[in-house]
Amino acid sequence: MFDTKGSLIPSPAHKVFSYPTSGYYKFNLATPLDELIDSICSSSVSSSNNIRSIFNSLHDEINHDQSLRSILNGPCIPFGLEKNLSSDIGSILEMDLLPSLNSSFLDSYPDAHFKVVIQDKQLLAGRLLPFQGSGYQKFLSTLNSANVIGYYFPYAFPEFSISSQRDAFKAITTSLNICLSGPLEIVSASTTNPSLLINADYYSPILCMSGVHHVDDRLEAVLKSYGPHLEFWVLSNILTPGIEQVSEQWYGGLTIYQPV
C-alpha cells in the first residue's frame, strides 16, 4: 500500500495535489531514531523498565506486517505520552502538551518563537474531537488507562486533502493499534524532536491532525513552521465556500502505538 518513500499510493478517488510528490517540502531528520528513543526512555513515560525493547518490538511488528511494512521507508518519529484521565483533547493540549512543546522548542531555538494561533479565537478545550472512523477514539481511550508509546509516520499521506486522508485510512487493515495522527502524539513527537520542521535549506511540510475534527467543520488543527519559528494553528480548510483545500504542503500521518 505504501511506496518506496513510505507514502500511501493514492487511488483515483483521492484528492491529491500531486503524486509522486515533488520533494519540495522536506523534514529535518538529522536526529537519529535511537537518540530520540533515548530521550523518551529517560522521561517519566518510561515507567516500564523495558521501554526500549517495547519500541524495538513494535518496530519489528510493523516490519512484519505485509500491508504496513513499506511505511518504514519514510520518516519514523517516536513519541511517548503519560497516562491522562481527561478525554478532552483541547484541555490536554492547553494544560500540558503545548507548554511542553514551547519549552522544548525554545531550549533548542532560543532566538525563535513558538506560538498558538486559533482563527475562531476560542479556547481549544471542548472543541477538538476524535473523527469517527479515524481510530483516534481508541487511541484516546488507551491513553486514559495507560502510558502510550509509539511511532508517528508524518509522510503517510503527503499532499492529500484532509477528507482523502480520512478516506484512505479506511482501506488499511492490520492487527496493530493504528489511527490517523492527531494533535496529542504529533505535539509529543515534536517535543522530543523540536527540529523536525526547522530546516535552513528547504521549506517544511505542514503537519495535518486529521485524526480529530474541530466543532467548526471549516477548521483544522495543524503544526507548521514559519521560517525559524514553530506554530500550532487552528485554521480554515475552506478558503472558497464549499471547496476543500488541496495543498502540496499538507502532510497527513499515521500513528502506530502500544500501551505500556
Side-chain angles (χ1 to χ4, degrees):
M1 298 184 70
F2 296 86
D3 63 20
T4 57
K5 294 182 179 179
S7 64
L8 187 129
I9 301 169
S11 78
H14 295 146
K15 297 177 182 177
V16 179
F17 187 88
S18 65
Y19 181 82
T21 62
S22 66
Y24 187 75
Y25 296 94
K26 296 183 182 295
F27 295 103
N28 182 349
L29 302 172
T31 307
L33 178 60
D34 282 347
E35 186 175 322
L36 296 175
I37 292 176
D38 282 343
S39 178
I40 296 168
C41 289
S42 65
S43 74
S44 56
V45 174
S46 59
S47 57
S48 171
N49 292 328
N50 61 341
I51 192 79
R52 174 171 287 283
S53 67
I54 296 173
F55 268 113
N56 291 339
S57 294
L58 182 57
H59 196 280
D60 288 343
E61 288 184 65
I62 298 168
N63 191 44
H64 286 95
D65 188 304
Q66 292 299 317
S67 65
L68 290 176
R69 63 187 309 170
S70 293
I71 200 173
L72 293 170
N73 294 329
C76 175
I77 312 299
F79 70 89
L81 287 164
E82 291 185 63
K83 175 182 174 180
N84 198 307
L85 296 177
S86 174
S87 294
D88 190 290
I89 296 167
S91 294
I92 297 171
L93 288 169
E94 289 174 331
M95 301 300 294
D96 182 11
L97 297 183
L98 289 175
S100 293
L101 178 54
N102 177 71
S103 296
S104 173
F105 183 73
L106 294 183
D107 283 347
S108 296
Y109 300 97
D111 296 326
H113 73 238
F114 172 77
K115 69 178 182 179
V116 176
V117 182
I118 304 174
Q119 288 192 340
D120 71 346
K121 309 298 183 184
Q122 302 290 320
L123 294 175
L124 294 171
R127 299 180 72 78
L128 293 175
L129 306 170
F131 185 81
Q132 186 174 1
S134 69
Y136 212 75
Q137 181 60 63
K138 181 182 176 183
F139 176 82
L140 188 60
S141 297
T142 303
L143 187 62
N144 290 160
S145 59
N147 293 345
V148 172
I149 62 95
Y151 294 104
Y152 163 51
F153 296 91
Y155 198 78
F157 304 109
E159 305 188 15
F160 282 61
S161 69
I162 298 291
S163 64
S164 290
Q165 293 172 35
R166 291 167 174 163
D167 184 65
F169 179 73
K170 298 175 186 176
I172 298 173
T173 57
T174 178
S175 61
L176 298 177
N177 293 316
I178 191 169
C179 63
L180 277 173
S181 299
L184 301 183
E185 73 279 22
I186 290 177
V187 171
S188 175
S190 300
T191 300
T192 305
N193 187 12
S195 63
L196 182 64
L197 295 180
I198 305 302
N199 198 322
D201 300 317
Y202 298 96
Y203 288 105
S204 297
I206 292 174
L207 304 182
C208 299
M209 303 178 176
S210 50
V212 304
H213 71 100
H214 195 275
V215 293
D216 182 338
D217 286 338
R218 297 170 298 177
L219 300 178
E220 298 291 346
V222 302
L223 189 68
K224 67 188 190 75
S225 61
Y226 182 71
H229 312 295
L230 188 65
E231 301 179 348
F232 178 96
W233 279 67
V234 175
L235 49 72
S236 178
N237 186 31
I238 309 293
L239 299 183
T240 302
I243 299 177
E244 179 187 21
Q245 285 196 70
V246 183
S247 172
E248 63 179 327
Q249 201 171 359
W250 283 30
Y251 280 46
L254 279 175
T255 298
I256 302 174
Y257 62 95
Q258 180 71 40
V260 294

